[in-house]
């Protein structure tokens, strides 16, 4: 009872936690949206413009892949976020807060997600692409109806991984000025040595990650036609088995 009483009387939990929790969701939601909006086309471009792709552009591909994607990914997020403060201030009018932090979060996550998209598209069988081209499909139709459609479960898994990564990035962004659970953990857990607030924040972050992973896994499983076909076979087998049992009992 004393533990619960201490928790409910702790201003870090009763007053600051709800606001910072919303700030964390805001950072992850905004940056996740722009990561999907920019990272998916960028990943498709990296795959299709590579040598042997649908529209090979080796020089441009090398520039985008090696300079834009690889260099951005190689910069530690804390350094990247500090270096992007002027850009965040230019775009949002402020260098602090969850909206400003979303700029750095998006720029940090877009190359990561684009590389995962490129890897997912590589797993699509080339025979399906060749068959679509032989039947007269345009490049855009091959991309939307073959590449993305076939790789959709893997793309959802990649976006789920990116969202989980953004949750971790958002905690780091909070320390630098983005707000959210990271700032609350720093202010109360580190500076005031408030263990109760730190434990509650860890539990909430773990719960957020678990929920994102659960939803992502369910969505990926639902759109996976291989899983759907397997489930259909199992249902037919169970139906046949039930018919046999009913026949035996009836005779």
């Amino acid at each position: 009872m004393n533990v619960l009483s201490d928790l409910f009387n702790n201003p870090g939990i009763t007053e600051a936690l709800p606001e910072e929790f919303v700030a964390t969701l805001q950072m992850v939601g905004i940056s996740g949206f722009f990561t999907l909006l920019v990272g998916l086309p960028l990943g498709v471009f990296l795959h299709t413009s590579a040598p042997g792709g649908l529209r090979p552009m080796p020089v441009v591909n090398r520039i985008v892949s090696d300079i834009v994607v690889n260099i951005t990914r190689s910069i530690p997020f804390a350094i990247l976020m500090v270096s992007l403060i002027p850009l965040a201030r230019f775009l949002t009018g402020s260098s602090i807060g969850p909206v400003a932090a979303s700029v750095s979060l998006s720029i940090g996550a877009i190359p990561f997600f684009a590389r995962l998209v490129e890897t997912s598209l590589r797993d699509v069988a080339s025979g399906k692409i060749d068959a679509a081209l032989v039947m007269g499909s345009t490049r855009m139709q091959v991309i939307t109806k073959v590449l993305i459609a076939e790789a959709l479960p893997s793309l959802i898994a990649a976006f789920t991984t990116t969202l989980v990564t953004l949750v971790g990035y958002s905690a780091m962004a909070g320390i630098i000025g983005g707000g959210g659970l990271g700032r609350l953990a720093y202010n109360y857990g580190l500076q005031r040595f408030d263990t109760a607030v730190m434990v509650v924040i860890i539990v909430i972050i773990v719960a957020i990650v678990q929920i994102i992973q659960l939803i992502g896994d369910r969505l990926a499983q639902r759109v996976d036609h291989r899983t759907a076909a397997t489930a259909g076979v199992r249902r037919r087998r169970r139906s046949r088995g039930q018919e046999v049992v009913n026949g035996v009992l009836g005779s």
Side-chain angles (χ1 to χ4, degrees):
M1 292 298 293
N2 291 333
V3 175
L4 292 177
S5 176
D6 292 341
L7 288 177
F8 288 118
N9 291 325
N10 191 321
I13 295 175
T14 57
E15 298 177 8
L17 182 60
E19 181 182 352
E20 302 300 350
F21 176 72
V22 172
T24 294
L25 295 183
Q26 192 176 4
M27 281 190 286
V28 175
I30 294 175
S31 55
F33 172 76
F34 284 103
T35 298
L36 181 63
L37 188 67
V38 180
L40 180 60
L42 180 59
V44 172
F45 174 79
L46 290 174
H47 177 71
T48 56
S49 63
L54 280 175
R55 182 67 174 87
M57 292 185 285
V59 177
V60 179
N61 179 273
R62 187 57 58 190
I63 294 173
V64 175
S65 177
D66 291 350
I67 297 179
V68 178
V69 175
N70 284 353
I71 289 181
T72 306
R73 289 182 59 205
S74 62
I75 301 175
F77 178 70
I79 298 174
L80 180 67
M81 184 168 183
V82 173
S83 63
L84 290 175
I85 287 178
L87 177 63
R89 186 186 298 116
F90 173 75
L91 293 177
T92 65
S94 175
S95 57
I96 59 174
V99 177
S102 299
V103 175
S104 304
L105 286 170
S106 300
I107 293 176
I110 286 172
F112 174 73
F113 180 57
R115 195 61 85 187
L116 293 179
V117 171
E118 181 191 18
T119 304
S120 299
L121 297 180
R122 283 178 187 165
D123 294 334
V124 178
S126 59
K128 295 181 180 179
I129 300 173
D130 295 338
L133 291 173
V134 169
M135 288 187 291
S137 300
T138 63
R139 291 193 183 97
M140 185 56 68
Q141 289 174 328
V142 172
I143 291 172
T144 57
K145 298 183 178 180
V146 178
L147 279 175
I148 293 180
E150 289 294 323
L152 190 56
S154 180
L155 293 176
I156 292 175
F159 187 60
T160 302
T161 302
T162 304
L163 284 180
V164 171
T165 304
L166 280 173
V167 173
Y169 281 176
S170 70
M172 196 183 306
I175 299 174
I176 303 176
L181 296 174
R183 181 174 67 180
L184 189 64
Y186 178 78
N187 289 341
Y188 281 84
L190 182 62
Q191 293 189 333
R192 303 183 186 182
F193 302 104
D194 194 331
T195 307
V197 175
M198 183 66 84
V199 171
V200 171
I201 291 172
I202 292 173
V203 171
I204 291 175
I205 291 177
V206 170
I208 293 174
V209 170
Q210 293 294 332
I211 292 172
I212 292 174
Q213 190 65 55
L214 179 64
I215 295 174
D217 290 343
R218 291 291 176 87
L219 286 177
Q221 190 176 14
R222 176 163 295 187
V223 301
D224 191 343
H225 58 80
R226 294 166 300 182
T227 305
T230 305
V233 171
R234 286 200 297 265
R235 283 196 297 271
R236 287 194 294 273
R237 286 177 177 174
R238 284 198 297 268
S239 178
R240 289 173 185 171
Q242 188 63 40
E243 289 176 0
V244 171
V245 172
N246 292 338
V248 171
L249 294 176
S251 62

